[in-house]
Amino acid sequence: MKKLSLLIAVTICNVVFAQTSPLKSSEKLKINTSKSIIQWSGEYAFYFGGHDGVINFKEGYFLKSNGLISGGEFVIDMNSIKSLDMDNEEARTGLDNHLKNEDFFAVANYPTAKLILTEVTYENKNRMKIYAELSIKEVTRPINFFAEVDYEKETLSTQFKIDRTLWNINYNSKEVEGKLKDGLISDAIGFEVTLSL
């Protein structure tokens, strides 16, 4: 009788766990990489001007639990980085190659970057705060930002800035140079991100 009672109790626990396990209730939603995009911008430190462009996603997905986004993981194709602000093709190509070399993202050694959503809290159904880990050049740092969801268009959009020196992107940084001079670049890189299903 005791063995039968124990067996029933174990069975009930297994059923309850299966129904409440995050792995069972989570849904993985792959992003559409042709519609998802990262727009970046960087400025000079002590005079007006700068550059902007785009980077593409290689792959990625959201985790959806109980009808809400609860996590996700996204791989960024660093080889796709390009500038958009110059009409001169030769100058634009030169900048793009510079961004890909060791002064900035060293894409030959680090062809991808990664963003992992670790926690999502909701202000309302459409606005959330996301806590994440951003990995660039094998350096992983925590970041957080607000994001908006458009359920009709199936998109999530956000904008945020990072201090590039935290990821060892130190070229012409005032933190490294330690003095005012022409050509210094702001340590802040701005991103506007749109993720589409």
Side-chain angles (χ1 to χ4, degrees), residues 58-74:
K58 184 175 181 180
E59 60 185 355
Y61 62 85
F62 288 109
L63 289 177
K64 187 178 179 182
S65 302
N66 302 317
L68 297 174
I69 293 170
S70 58
E73 185 172 318
F74 309 93

Side-chain angles (χ1 to χ4, degrees), residues 27-38 55-63 69 71-77 115 117 154-156 193-197:
E27 181 183 2
K28 186 181 286 189
L29 304 173
K30 288 187 177 182
I31 63 168
N32 185 329
T33 54
S34 65
K35 293 182 178 180
S36 301
I37 194 72
I38 301 170
I55 318 174
N56 297 328
F57 286 95
K58 184 175 181 180
E59 60 185 355
Y61 62 85
F62 288 109
L63 289 177
I69 293 170
E73 185 172 318
F74 309 93
V75 179
I76 301 158
D77 179 8
L115 180 70
L117 311 189
E154 295 187 322
T155 61
L156 179 146
V193 183
T194 301
L195 293 161
S196 299
L197 298 181

Side-chain angles (χ1 to χ4, degrees), residues 45-46 172-184:
F46 297 109
N172 272 12
S173 165
K174 64 183 180 67
E175 284 293 324
V176 175
E177 297 290 339
K179 58 184 178 181
L180 304 184
K181 72 171 189 176
D182 288 345
L184 288 184

Side-chain angles (χ1 to χ4, degrees), residues 145-180:
F145 48 86
F146 288 97
E148 302 282 342
V149 177
D150 187 321
Y151 293 98
E152 186 175 336
K153 294 181 179 179
E154 295 187 322
T155 61
L156 179 146
S157 58
T158 184
Q159 55 183 354
F160 58 90
K161 290 184 177 183
I162 65 168
D163 178 351
R164 63 189 174 95
T165 63
L166 296 177
W167 285 266
N168 295 332
I169 306 166
N170 297 316
Y171 180 77
N172 272 12
S173 165
K174 64 183 180 67
E175 284 293 324
V176 175
E177 297 290 339
K179 58 184 178 181
L180 304 184

